Amino acid sequence: MRTLAVFLVCVALSFAEEIASLRSLFVAVQKSEPLRASAWLIEKEKAKKDSLGSAFFPKIGASVGLEQTNQPSVFQSYRTLTLGLQAEWNLFDGFRSTLAKEAQESLVASSIEDEESTRQKLYLQVIEHYYGYFKAKSLLQALTAQQHELEGNLARLERFYENGLSGLDALEALRAQIAQNAYQRNSAILLAQTHSENLEWLTQKPFADLLASKSESRTNPCELPDTTPAPSFSFSQIVLPLQDLGTQTESVLLLKPSPLAELRAFDQQLNALHARIGGYNYLPKVDVFARAGYYNFDKFYIPKLPTLPFALTIDDSELHGVQATIGLQITFPLFDTFALQKEREAARYEYLSAQSQYHHQLRYQEHKIKIAQNSLENARQKITWTKTQAKSARIAYCYAQKKFQTGLISHTEYLTSLATDVAARASFEESFLDYEIAKAQMIFASGGKLEDFVE
């Protein structure tokens, strides 16, 4: 009979050397399309802010005009050339430009927080699929070990049946178990492939042949490791080390919750909405302007005049000169059927609505933190429970194996013990991976940065 694996958690952890680390996957995520799109949105909002800053500076323009008339009217020039230069500067516009720029600055900050929110969500998905892959791999390894055991027993039982030492029912029951095991192995392979494909999609990086297994070296199948393997996800700043799980029952959380990045983005949007309210006012607008122009009227059309009792000389030659104007303009609305007031009210209601949604989302984050904390504590306790279960199932299987070899129990009882042992060991290994995912979810719910906790 082929010996079984060293406890499967050691086998699964050895696979981490074959694949990309979480840190390298996080680096690959930085080049993903969602983050590129967020970066372009930030640049868009910055460009809008820069355009609003021009309101605080004078505007200068130039103009050129040339007219050619074939049949001019009386005293109209045949050809007219004008050159103009004008400058305008808004001195006061009721703080509209200032408030508009403040609102846009808040939108820039909001877009930056949106990018961070997108990044953390992508990181969390990477972690879930990363450890989800290992959960599928753990189950696959357990089922493979069971398959080897079953196939070895099948050949043995077939010989017994041929010699009349075993019944057909036991043989068919074993064949049915092998078929069921093959089905479960295919499901585990599909699940592992699904997680690896999702990681490729998230990171746009090939997740090289994760289903290729190493040689399955075996030692004593009836022994469990004395020390609990430490998880690869660094979380020591938040919970007690795993070695203390046997003596500590309460969860020690040191991570101070902070608003999620998406809530910080929402808060900046609130600031923008509040700033826009002040822009709807009846304050006057004050502008200064200066204009300078050069004109050239070439050869006027002068009709033949009757003889007058006094001397009159009209020169039809070129007329040109420079004209300059400077002025101050003050404008303010007198009556607009309360349209501006209604716009201000609409902006205020929009702000109040968004503010209510923001406070609701803050309370929802507190709710999610409590759920994540409970899940984390449950995941910690699950490690202890499944370790006890795995030890007991291993002891029971070893006794059942000896009894079956000596004919003290039936093959059906032996298969039941084997299935219980495989399921218990797989659950123990999965408990570590669930713990890793629960830690990541706790960090995310608390508003922390996942990359700060990955080794």
Side-chain angles (χ1 to χ4, degrees):
M1 181 186 305
R2 297 186 60 180
T3 56
L4 295 179
V6 181
F7 190 62
L8 294 178
V9 69
C10 300
V11 177
L13 289 177
S14 67
F15 277 85
E17 298 175 358
E18 294 185 10
I19 66 173
S21 64
L22 272 177
R23 175 65 65 182
S24 64
L25 293 178
F26 281 8
V27 172
V29 165
Q30 293 294 330
K31 301 178 182 179
S32 63
E33 295 300 331
L35 286 180
R36 288 182 182 178
S38 297
W40 288 123
L41 287 177
I42 292 175
E43 295 303 320
K44 183 200 77 170
E45 299 297 343
K46 288 182 177 179
K48 284 186 176 181
K49 184 193 73 171
D50 294 340
S51 68
L52 292 174
S54 63
F56 300 95
F57 298 93
K59 297 177 176 60
I60 300 175
S63 61
V64 178
L66 178 63
E67 295 182 9
Q68 178 71 38
T69 305
N70 294 330
Q71 296 181 351
S73 302
V74 177
F75 299 110
Q76 183 179 6
S77 172
Y78 285 92
R79 182 184 297 109
T80 303
L81 172 64
T82 58
L83 301 176
L85 184 66
Q86 57 270 359
E88 297 180 0
W89 193 358
N90 175 254
L91 298 181
F92 181 74
D93 64 352
F95 305 106
R96 296 176 184 87
S97 297
T98 302
L99 293 172
K101 187 175 181 180
E102 289 180 1
Q104 191 58 36
E105 289 175 347
S106 296
L107 291 179
V108 171
S110 176
S111 64
I112 294 175
E113 295 295 351
D114 277 332
E115 181 188 39
E116 180 63 23
S117 175
T118 301
R119 180 181 295 107
Q120 295 303 318
K121 289 178 180 178
L122 289 173
Y123 285 168
L124 181 61
Q125 291 181 55
V126 166
I127 290 173
E128 291 173 342
H129 288 300
Y130 184 83
Y131 287 108
Y133 165 79
F134 281 111
K135 288 177 64 177
K137 191 69 176 180
S138 168
L139 179 59
L140 178 60
Q141 290 285 339
L143 292 172
T144 300
Q146 183 181 19
Q147 186 77 2
H148 293 160
E149 185 76 11
L150 292 174
E151 290 173 353
N153 278 277
L154 177 62
R156 179 172 175 269
L157 199 59
E158 285 176 343
R159 290 194 302 269
F160 285 174
Y161 175 73
E162 292 173 357
N163 296 324
L165 300 177
S166 178
L168 181 62
D169 57 339
L171 180 61
E172 293 301 326
L174 180 57
R175 288 172 176 170
Q177 183 68 26
I178 291 175
Q180 181 183 10
N181 186 272
Y183 170 77
Q184 292 174 339
R185 288 181 70 250
N186 287 336
S187 298
I189 291 174
L190 176 60
L191 184 58
Q193 290 175 336
T194 300
H195 285 299
S196 64
E197 289 293 338
N198 284 328
L199 282 171
E200 286 191 9
W201 175 69
L202 288 169
T203 63
Q204 299 178 3
K205 179 178 181 180
F207 204 63
D209 197 11
L210 294 175
L211 296 180
S213 60
K214 291 183 177 181
S215 58
E216 298 177 0
S217 59
R218 310 296 182 181
T219 57
N220 189 343
C222 294
E223 292 182 359
L224 285 175
D226 293 332
T227 58
T228 303
S232 59
F233 195 88
S234 176
F235 207 70
S236 58
Q237 300 178 35
I238 300 180
V239 296
L240 291 176
L242 288 178
Q243 289 77 0
D244 296 332
L245 287 179
T247 57
Q248 300 289 341
T249 56
E250 71 279 2
S251 175
V252 180
L253 301 177
L254 302 178
L255 181 64
K256 184 178 180 181
S258 61
L260 295 173
E262 60 184 282
L263 289 181
R264 298 195 296 269
F266 202 163
D267 184 44
Q268 294 294 340
Q269 293 174 14
L270 280 177
N271 294 337
L273 291 174
H274 187 267
R276 288 171 181 170
I277 295 176
Y280 299 102
N281 58 62
Y282 289 93
L283 296 177
K285 181 180 179 182
V286 181
D287 297 285
V288 294
F289 61 90
R291 301 185 184 93
Y294 168 79
Y295 59 90
N296 187 332
F297 299 102
D298 185 16
K299 194 173 178 59
F300 287 89
Y301 168 69
I302 303 176
K304 185 177 180 180
L305 298 176
T307 303
L308 298 175
F310 53 86
L312 178 62
T313 302
I314 300 179
D315 187 4
D316 64 349
S317 62
E318 179 181 8
L319 178 63
H320 59 83
V322 176
Q323 185 180 39
T325 305
I326 188 170
L328 175 69
Q329 182 177 355
I330 302 176
T331 58
F332 52 88
L334 295 177
F335 181 71
D336 61 354
T337 321
F338 306 107
L340 191 61
Q341 180 181 351
K342 295 300 181 183
E343 289 180 1
R344 181 183 176 88
E345 289 182 3
R348 186 172 68 89
Y349 292 145
E350 182 182 7
Y351 169 76
L352 293 175
S353 174
Q355 188 180 49
S356 297
Q357 295 179 21
Y358 173 71
H359 290 301
H360 173 71
Q361 292 299 324
L362 278 179
R363 289 190 294 270
Y364 183 67
Q365 182 187 359
E366 296 175 358
H367 168 71
K368 296 293 289 185
I369 290 176
K370 292 179 180 179
I371 293 177
Q373 181 177 347
N374 293 335
S375 298
L376 180 61
E377 181 63 22
N378 181 268
R380 292 180 61 199
Q381 295 176 1
K382 184 180 176 182
I383 294 176
T384 304
W385 300 334
T386 55
K387 183 175 183 179
T388 301
Q389 179 190 19
K391 283 186 175 181
S392 299
R394 169 56 55 181
I395 294 172
Y397 166 72
C398 289
Y399 277 101
Q401 185 182 47
K402 294 177 181 179
K403 289 181 179 180
F404 175 68
Q405 291 173 350
T406 57
L408 296 178
I409 61 174
S410 66
H411 195 271
T412 301
E413 293 175 304
Y414 169 73
L415 290 180
T416 301
S417 178
L418 174 62
T420 301
D421 174 60
V422 170
R425 290 187 297 141
S427 296
F428 181 43
E429 185 173 341
E430 288 178 6
S431 67
F432 285 97
L433 303 174
D434 287 335
Y435 183 57
E436 302 300 299
I437 295 175
K439 290 188 294 187
Q441 292 172 342
M442 181 64 193
I443 295 173
F444 179 82
S446 300
K449 293 185 176 182
L450 290 167
E451 64 270 26
D452 293 340
F453 297 89
V454 175
E455 296 176 351

